[in-house]
Amino acid sequence: LVKNAIGISSIFLLLLIVISPVFKMLAFSLMLKICSGFSDCFDVPKVSMTCSALSKAITYLISFVLMVSFLFFISLLLMIFSANSFI
């Protein structure tokens, strides 16, 4: 029972650790997209292209963070289930 509680709490802790940076990166990506739109309206193509490219890079970073956290989640589940198989 204690192993299951520690395993479930570690999964929730992983979720809490990952969700804050992902939301911050999503907000930053949205801000860059808005900045790109405004600079495109004012006819500043270099700033618009830079903000758009940086927003795309941040989107890739978000996907990498989510992928690594998913792999860590899978490894946690494997450890939890392997510890319960001997009981």
Side-chain angles (χ1 to χ4, degrees):
L1 187 64
V2 173
K3 284 187 280 187
N4 289 337
I6 291 173
I8 290 173
S9 64
S10 66
I11 289 173
F12 284 128
L13 186 64
L14 172 68
L15 180 69
L16 290 175
I17 289 171
V18 169
I19 203 152
S20 175
V22 168
F23 279 147
K24 287 178 185 177
M25 286 185 283
L26 280 171
F28 187 60
S29 177
L30 181 65
M31 182 188 66
L32 285 170
K33 287 180 183 179
I34 290 170
C35 178
S36 174
F38 280 142
S39 63
D40 196 29
C41 289
F42 293 121
D43 200 28
V44 185
K46 288 184 180 180
V47 174
S48 176
M49 290 189 319
T50 304
C51 288
S52 178
L54 192 57
S55 173
K56 193 173 186 180
I58 295 293
T59 305
Y60 287 144
L61 181 64
I62 292 168
S63 66
F64 292 150
V65 167
L66 289 175
M67 180 179 58
V68 168
S69 64
F70 178 71
L71 291 175
F72 189 61
F73 173 72
I74 295 294
S75 66
L76 276 174
L77 284 179
L78 287 173
M79 285 189 280
I80 292 168
F81 290 145
S82 68
N84 286 338
S85 65
F86 297 115
I87 295 174

